[in-house]
Amino acid sequence: MATNQPAYMVLTWGCQMNEDDSRQMANLLEQMGYRQASSESDADIILLNTCSVRDKPEQKVRTKLGELRLMKVDRPGLIIGVCGCMAQREGKEILRTRPFINMVIGTANIYELPSLIEEARQGRKRILATDLPERDGSNGESHVARLGDKVGIKAFVPAMFGCNNFCTYCVVPYVRGPERSRPAGEIIEEATSLVSRGCREIMLVGQNVNSYGRTLDASIDFAGILEQLNGVSGLERIRFMTSHPKDLSDRLIDAIAELPKVCEHLHLPIQAGDDEILRRMGRGYTVDHYRSLIDKLRSRVPEITLTTDVMVGFPGETEDQFKNTLKMIEDVQYDAAYMFEFNARPGTKAIEMTHQLDHKTKIRRLGELIELQNGISIAKNKSEAGQVVEVLVESASQKDADRMCGFTRRSKMVNFPGDSKIIGKLVKVRTVRGGLSGFIGEMV
């Protein structure tokens, strides 16, 4: 490799959509002739792909920007770009307060990266590119094809962009724009290309994949996409995230039950176990409706793994309403959950609501929730010890090169003795011991 080849680094915070966006950025940079940097000090361009869903990721970005500001004093030619949701939400302010930043690129402007970098390299101006598509039902934006043969065992494939739900606590519709579904043929073509180059598992991603197809002229829903993907030769597993309870159809439940490549796992955010809190969140379903979905899922797919998102401390949440959420967690018995306290985000309706709870109360409730759910997760995994499961081997353990890591079809992690030659393969493993995050196992 030529020593004068310019290098890039993309730092990522946030969800699966952000991870896929970062992969697109890397692809574009490599098509421009950049190589991936070994460290920040080795990079000629550093892109920060940011998240605005909660405050903590934004604070991490601000800390990193402080470090990069000092780095740029010594290396004035370093190009620094802020991308993603935080860039979309605070673009002008970021440029105003941080003169060392070369460009701010929004969530729908990734495909412009080559021309924007060229402008930055020529030093013409500092760049702000944060235009979002109009709410006109247009069918998504350009999605960058993967370059060459650089394909992993697993890959994200966006099914859609944006969101139309406007939950009162969420910034996503404001920073990612309106819902736009990708044409079915484009999704299948991308997945087929990935599989032909070694990918074994595809995860379809979108803010609400259950509403796929509403902006398309063609009459196809998300279950139809799964049916088409199931026919892709060489593809072993299909996953998807995230599903919204108000749009979870019987057809999609049937697809999980009947399509052999669709994995037995569903992430179905509940957010709260109280109807009044759900109403003020703008979630569009009741506790009883959600429970009926769980009953259908477990009836059609008895072995299904269920995971969820839960928020505590929403404005006005009483102790009784919080206890309703704990009861919901106890009743449903999720395999795992993403749990967090309400974090007021600028521009959302919830930030203007009365009866905001104090931090101490929110943290105490979050601790109770975590203790309950972790106990459920450990008990469920311990009860499943001794089973023989199919594992897609992803990598060696970070702590021990003689141990391999992978996931079952039900999205449970397994760590077991093995050789790196089996990475990328499907193997049979007996679960020996269950814990919070998965299993210790042994190859059969």
Side-chain angles (χ1 to χ4, degrees):
M1 183 180 294
T3 56
N4 62 348
Q5 185 181 9
Y8 74 89
M9 178 165 283
V10 180
L11 305 175
T12 309
W13 294 262
C15 66
Q16 291 86 355
M17 295 295 292
N18 275 34
E19 290 184 42
D20 184 71
D21 288 346
S22 290
R23 286 182 173 87
Q24 290 195 69
M25 294 176 199
N27 260 322
L28 284 167
L29 286 159
E30 289 175 14
Q31 290 177 36
M32 293 174 69
Y34 284 80
R35 61 177 173 83
Q36 186 170 0
S38 57
S39 64
E40 291 173 12
S41 59
D42 177 46
D44 299 283
I45 179 168
I46 299 177
L47 301 178
L48 284 67
N49 192 12
T50 63
C51 172
S52 272
V53 171
R54 290 188 287 278
D55 183 61
K56 191 173 183 179
E58 288 192 353
Q59 293 302 329
K60 290 181 178 180
V61 170
R62 293 187 176 98
T63 298
K64 177 56 66 176
L65 286 173
E67 297 170 4
L68 295 179
R69 179 182 65 83
L70 297 176
M71 186 181 294
K72 190 148 183 175
V73 172
D74 296 328
R75 299 171 56 206
L78 173 66
I79 295 175
I80 300 173
V82 179
C83 312
C85 296
M86 186 176 172
Q88 192 69 50
R89 191 173 69 80
E90 299 183 21
K92 292 181 180 178
E93 184 67 8
I94 289 171
L95 283 182
R96 187 184 70 80
T97 57
R98 294 173 174 84
F100 61 93
I101 291 175
N102 299 87
M103 52 189 180
V104 173
I105 303 173
T107 56
N109 302 88
I110 293 171
Y111 66 95
E112 298 180 64
L113 193 59
S115 62
L116 299 178
I117 289 175
E118 191 58 36
E119 285 187 49
R121 288 173 65 177
Q122 295 179 14
R124 294 175 185 170
K125 60 180 180 178
R126 299 170 71 219
I127 296 157
L128 178 67
T130 55
D131 293 333
L132 283 173
E134 296 294 327
R135 298 188 177 275
D136 59 358
S138 59
N139 296 336
E141 56 260 15
S142 300
H143 192 256
V144 182
R146 265 63 169 188
L147 176 67
D149 296 321
K150 285 191 66 175
V151 170
I153 298 163
K154 298 162 56 171
F156 295 122
V157 173
M160 57 195 303
F161 308 96
C163 183
N164 287 352
N165 285 317
F166 289 94
C167 298
T168 58
Y169 55 83
C170 187
V171 300
V172 168
Y174 305 101
V175 296
R176 286 198 172 267
E179 184 179 290
R180 291 99 66 201
S181 296
R182 292 179 73 192
E186 188 177 302
I187 295 171
I188 304 306
E189 181 181 0
E190 180 175 354
T192 302
S193 174
L194 289 166
V195 171
S196 72
R197 289 177 280 149
C199 180
R200 309 294 298 279
E201 177 179 302
I202 294 292
M203 176 176 277
L204 297 170
V205 293
Q207 260 66 45
N208 175 18
V209 294
N210 295 1
S211 63
Y212 174 86
R214 292 178 184 171
T215 61
L216 298 172
D217 294 332
S219 56
I220 186 168
D221 59 5
F222 190 63
I225 292 293
L226 295 180
E227 289 167 356
Q228 291 190 29
L229 266 183
N230 192 70
V232 173
S233 178
L235 179 60
E236 300 285 354
R237 292 179 173 181
I238 303 166
R239 301 188 189 275
F240 56 89
M241 191 178 282
T242 292
S243 290
H244 197 297
K246 73 179 178 63
D247 299 312
L248 179 60
S249 66
D250 289 348
R251 233 177 82 74
L252 182 52
I253 293 173
D254 288 342
I256 299 170
E258 296 168 6
L259 298 175
K261 294 182 182 180
V262 176
C263 292
E264 298 81 10
H265 167 232
L266 183 67
H267 187 76
L268 193 66
I270 179 63
Q271 300 299 0
D274 181 87
D275 283 344
E276 175 58 20
I277 297 296
L278 289 173
R279 184 190 67 78
R280 290 196 284 119
M281 286 179 169
R283 291 293 289 167
Y285 54 85
T286 64
V287 168
D288 283 347
H289 176 67
Y290 187 96
R291 287 179 185 273
S292 73
L293 295 174
I294 298 298
D295 291 341
K296 285 181 184 178
L297 284 159
R298 285 185 165 147
S299 174
R300 292 287 284 123
V301 194
E303 70 275 27
I304 195 166
T305 290
L306 292 171
T307 56
T308 196
D309 295 339
V310 193
M311 179 190 299
V312 300
F314 191 77
E317 181 189 65
T318 66
E319 199 66 29
D320 284 344
Q321 288 169 331
F322 168 62
K323 288 178 180 176
N324 285 341
T325 294
L326 294 183
K327 185 178 187 306
M328 189 71 175
I329 299 301
E330 184 70 53
D331 290 349
V332 174
Q333 294 280 299
Y334 295 102
D335 291 83
Y338 297 101
M339 299 165 281
F340 44 93
E341 77 273 19
F342 168 75
N343 185 223
R345 307 308 295 139
T348 63
K349 292 182 179 179
I351 199 172
E352 301 172 358
M353 291 181 178
T354 56
H355 305 297
Q356 300 280 336
L357 274 65
D358 62 273
H359 182 66
K360 183 178 179 180
T361 298
K362 290 191 286 187
I363 291 301
R364 188 260 301 167
R365 291 179 181 177
L366 180 61
E368 290 184 39
L369 174 66
I370 290 173
E371 182 179 7
L372 173 62
Q373 178 56 54
N374 284 357
I376 293 170
S377 298
I378 292 170
K380 287 177 77 74
N381 289 340
K382 283 184 175 180
S383 73
E384 294 172 10
Q387 298 179 0
V388 175
V389 295
E390 179 192 85
V391 175
L392 177 58
V393 186
E394 295 185 17
S395 66
S397 168
Q398 292 182 345
K399 296 180 180 179
D400 185 349
D402 293 326
R403 299 188 69 84
M404 298 295 111
C405 294
F407 284 83
T408 70
R409 285 180 58 92
R410 297 174 60 234
S411 200
K412 303 246 181 160
M413 186 173 71
V414 186
N415 186 300
F416 61 98
D419 188 278
S420 60
K421 292 178 181 178
I422 63 173
I423 291 175
K425 298 184 182 300
L426 292 168
V427 300
K428 295 294 184 181
V429 178
R430 179 177 288 105
T431 57
V432 175
R433 186 171 75 251
L436 177 62
S437 58
F439 304 97
I440 299 297
E442 59 186 13
M443 282 189 64
V444 176

